[in-house]
């Protein structure tokens, strides 16, 4: 079955760029939307944005100026870049498959903790 | 970022029914039947329980049901079981093609 796995550095310095990759296995990335959601420690879920396999993306308004989501269909991967990070960006970052027509996430990665600290 | 309001906690005894509310506005829950619900056990990935307000994905127990009235969506769990103890989050489509999550509700099975 389709599985998602996040990867990337677990520690990022303030003001630097957070970079994560989500690898989709067991199925093709083509034909779907893919998303990033984060969860600060002890807090709720926060939507970051989503991308269609063709490359068109949509971001949460308050993060839009700092976020880029990209896709690499040849590697069956999509990625997140969040620049100028602060401690407030410390969170578990999940990737997920997103159904844009009816607005729901049906498959999730386990998540990866990214800590912003010097 | 929690644009949708959920109770911080609810509890119930095994076999009972509980309802978790998710209150938004006319810009999200009230205008679209596009609410989804997720169950999250500690340290685990969220799991889709309800989508399009009241539809259950394959494999989700029919003890879980969703509904909506005005600007408030609800998740009802009947016949509570110990394994239902988890955090639950609602999510809705919102104007300008964005999404809003609720702050989450901790369900305790007594």
């Amino acid at each position: 079955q389709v599985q998602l796995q996040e990867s990337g550095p677990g520690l990022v310095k303030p003001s630097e760029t957070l970079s994560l990759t989500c690898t989709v296995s067991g199925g093709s990335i083509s034909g779907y939307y893919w998303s990033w959601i984060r969860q600060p420690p002890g807090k709720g879920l926060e939507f970051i944005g989503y991308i269609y396999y063709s490359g068109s993306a949509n971001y949460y308004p308050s993060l839009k100026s700092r976020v880029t989501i990209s896709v690499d269909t040849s590697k069956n991967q999509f990625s997140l870049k969040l620049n100028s990070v602060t401690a407030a960006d410390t969170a578990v970052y999940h990737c997920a498959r997103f159904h844009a027509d009816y607005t729901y996430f049906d498959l999730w990665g386990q998540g990866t903790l990214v800590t912003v600290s010097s | 970022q929690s644009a949708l309001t959920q109770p911080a906690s609810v509890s119930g005894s095994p076999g009972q029914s509980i309802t978790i509310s998710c209150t938004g506005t006319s810009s999200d829950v009230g205008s679209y039947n596009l609410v989804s619900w997720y169950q999250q056990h500690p340290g685990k990935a969220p799991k889709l329980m309800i989508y399009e307000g009241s539809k259950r994905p394959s494999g989700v127990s029919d003890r879980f049901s969703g509904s909506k009235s005005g600007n408030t969506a609800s998740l009802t769990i009947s016949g509570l079981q110990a394994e239902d103890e988890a955090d639950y989050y609602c999510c809705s489509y919102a104007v300008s093609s964005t999404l809003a999550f609720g702050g989450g509700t901790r369900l305790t099975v007594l």
Side-chain angles (χ1 to χ4, degrees):
Chain A
Q1 72 275 25
V2 179
Q3 294 185 314
L4 287 71
Q5 180 65 57
E6 306 88 350
S7 59
L11 180 64
V12 181
K13 290 182 169 56
S15 78
E16 295 190 345
T17 296
L18 179 160
S19 296
L20 295 174
T21 295
C22 182
T23 300
V24 180
S25 59
S28 175
I29 202 168
S30 297
Y32 290 97
Y33 289 84
W34 305 92
S35 183
W36 289 96
I37 301 110
R38 69 181 183 181
Q39 188 168 26
K43 296 187 178 182
L45 300 169
E46 298 181 354
F47 171 66
I48 297 172
Y50 63 81
I51 190 166
Y52 193 44
Y53 79 101
S54 63
S56 60
N58 187 20
Y59 306 122
Y60 191 77
S62 66
L63 296 172
K64 190 174 184 177
S65 63
R66 298 195 292 131
V67 173
T68 301
I69 299 176
S70 58
V71 63
D72 187 338
T73 55
S74 67
K75 295 182 179 179
N76 236 32
Q77 295 177 333
F78 63 104
S79 298
L80 168 71
K81 289 190 186 300
L82 179 66
N83 59 38
S84 304
V85 296
T86 68
D89 295 310
T90 294
V92 173
Y93 285 75
H94 294 278
C95 59
R97 189 170 72 178
F98 178 58
H99 290 260
D101 46 357
Y102 298 112
T103 315
Y104 63 91
F105 307 92
D106 69 334
L107 294 173
W108 293 68
Q110 188 67 21
T112 186
L113 174 63
V114 179
T115 301
V116 179
S117 175
S118 56
Chain B
Q1 196 190 84
S2 301
L4 306 180
T5 302
Q6 298 181 235
S9 63
V10 298
S11 62
S13 299
Q16 288 186 332
S17 294
I18 63 95
T19 296
I20 299 171
S21 61
C22 170
T23 301
T25 69
S26 57
S27 296
D28 38 64
V29 175
S31 291
Y32 309 98
N33 199 25
L34 295 174
V35 174
S36 52
W37 290 90
Y38 303 88
Q39 175 193 66
Q40 186 179 34
H41 289 106
K44 301 295 186 181
K47 175 186 176 183
L48 176 67
M49 306 303 286
I50 297 287
Y51 67 100
E52 267 188 272
S54 60
K55 295 182 178 180
R56 279 187 309 276
S58 174
V60 172
S61 171
D62 60 4
R63 298 185 299 106
F64 292 82
S65 62
S67 62
K68 191 187 86 165
S69 177
N71 293 338
T72 299
S74 298
L75 173 71
T76 298
I77 308 174
S78 59
L80 268 182
Q81 299 179 0
E83 60 260 35
D84 299 333
E85 186 163 291
D87 293 327
Y88 291 84
Y89 295 91
C90 62
C91 177
S92 175
Y93 178 85
V95 294
S96 302
S97 298
T98 188
L99 299 175
F101 276 104
T105 298
R106 172 69 53 88
L107 168 63
T108 300
V109 180
L110 301 170

